[in-house]
Every structure is written in structure tokens, then in C-alpha cells.
Amino acid sequence: MHEKTTLTEPTFRIRARHTETTVTVYQAYRPQIGRPAARTGRFPSAWKRDRMTWIKPSFLWMMYRCGWGTKEGQETVLAVDISREGFEWALRHACLSHYVPALHPDQAAWKRELARSPARVQWDPERDLHLNPLPHRSLQLGLAGEAAARYADEWIVGIEDVTPLATEIHALVRAGEGERASALLPVEPPYPAADEVLAHLRA
């Protein structure tokens, strides 16, 4: 396992832990939701499927977002294995969360697409081990409506509580043990998404 490199990284590329059939995404929840989810492999009834839920293939971006599992309401970090079929369905049915002239005829057309899309994509700066921004971008995928229901009911293959891993890596980072911390990071190679799956999501 290695810390993510910034060399020759294209600005927009999905990097994720994946197998031939699954891709791992990360979320962080309060323990009342996260712990039952990890125990049963399904989100409990307290999980609100009528809200947009954001999934993140980047472990370090999740650590940036949840403060290594220390932020209130984000104390339980989950690694969620979902089907690649479901992940790519979401990408195909997603709209960028912001207007890009090169991809949309005009702002009104983008707003119409956004309103009817069950998923949306943001590309935010990837993070290094110290959670500093990197030049290339990390995918954040927001799921709502049909996409959120499919995620919860059909796509999930397994859920693991990786809070202990986050805590261990964070402790090593604070202790100045960068190499040992990097060795524990999940390996996230480029995800082999076809160009046509991402063409409408990259400027």
C-alpha cells in the first residue's frame, strides 16, 4: 500500500479500491446509524432514504470530510462495497453539481438536467496524508430518489466499520510516522470506467 502519488495524474479520474464486481466507497455517520449498518450489512430504519447521500471512493477525502472520524455526527466511518453495475448506473444517470459551459448548452439546460437526475457528481481536490489539497480531483457521488433507493436496497454487497483503521492511521500521522501511516492506506488504483460513462461529467 502506498500514499497516493501526484505524478502524471489526470485532473479527473476515478481512483478506488475495486474488484471485478465491486467498488468500495466511504461514508461517515453517527454511531446509531453506522454501527448497525456495519453489523447487518444494511442501513437501519433511521437512515433517511429521502435525503441525498454522498459516497466517496477516496479514503483520504473521506478522512478530510469527517476529520478522521472526530467530527460530530461522523464518528463511524464505513467502507461500503457496492456492485460496479450500480456504481456505473449512478454515473450514467448523474449530472454535474455545477454548471460547466463546455458540457451544457446553457445554465437553464443544466438546471433542467440537474432537476431530473437521481445522482450528481462533484470533483473536489484530492487530499494527501496530511489532508492538504492535491492538484488532481476526487469524485464525490451524490445519490437521491431512485439512486438512493437502489444504493440501499440493491447495490450494497457489504459494509465494514473502518473507524479503527482511520484512528490508527491518524495516530501515526500525528506521531510523524508517515511511512507507517501510508502503508495502511487502502490501495486505490484507477477505476476502469469507460470514457462514455464519464464524458458528460468531465470538463
Side-chain angles (χ1 to χ4, degrees), residues 47 96 112 127 129 136 143 158 179 182 188-189:
W47 187 79
L96 278 178
R112 287 193 298 271
R127 301 284 158 167
L129 191 59
H136 54 280
L143 309 174
E179 283 193 18
S182 294
E188 295 168 0

Side-chain angles (χ1 to χ4, degrees), residues 6 9 20 26 54 56 62 73 82 102 119 122 127-128 139 152:
T6 60
E9 278 286 352
E20 290 185 1
Y26 297 94
W54 288 88
K56 306 158 184 70
M62 185 72 258
I82 63 174
Q122 289 182 191
R127 301 284 158 167
D128 66 13
L139 177 86

Side-chain angles (χ1 to χ4, degrees), residues 106-196:
D106 53 47
Q107 197 151 7
W110 164 73
K111 287 184 177 179
R112 287 193 298 271
E113 184 182 345
L114 188 68
R116 65 172 178 262
S117 298
R120 61 186 58 177
V121 160
Q122 289 182 191
W123 295 96
D124 296 305
E126 181 59 286
R127 301 284 158 167
D128 66 13
L129 191 59
H130 299 279
L131 307 185
N132 298 312
L134 294 172
H136 54 280
R137 299 280 171 150
S138 176
L139 177 86
Q140 324 302 324
L141 184 57
L143 309 174
E146 181 184 0
R150 285 174 177 253
Y151 172 62
D153 298 333
E154 301 174 18
W155 300 346
I156 294 175
V157 176
I159 302 177
E160 179 185 1
D161 183 348
V162 293
T163 312
L165 176 64
T167 301
E168 183 179 5
I169 295 175
H170 188 205
L172 289 170
V173 171
R174 287 186 296 173
E177 297 277 359
E179 283 193 18
R180 291 177 62 197
S182 294
L184 294 177
L185 289 174
V187 176
E188 295 168 0
Y191 179 83
D195 285 343
E196 53 94 9

Side-chain angles (χ1 to χ4, degrees), residues 20-37:
E20 290 185 1
T21 58
T22 66
V23 58
T24 301
V25 296
Y26 297 94
Q27 296 193 288
Y29 289 101
R30 65 182 191 273
Q32 294 90 333
I33 289 179
R35 289 174 182 168

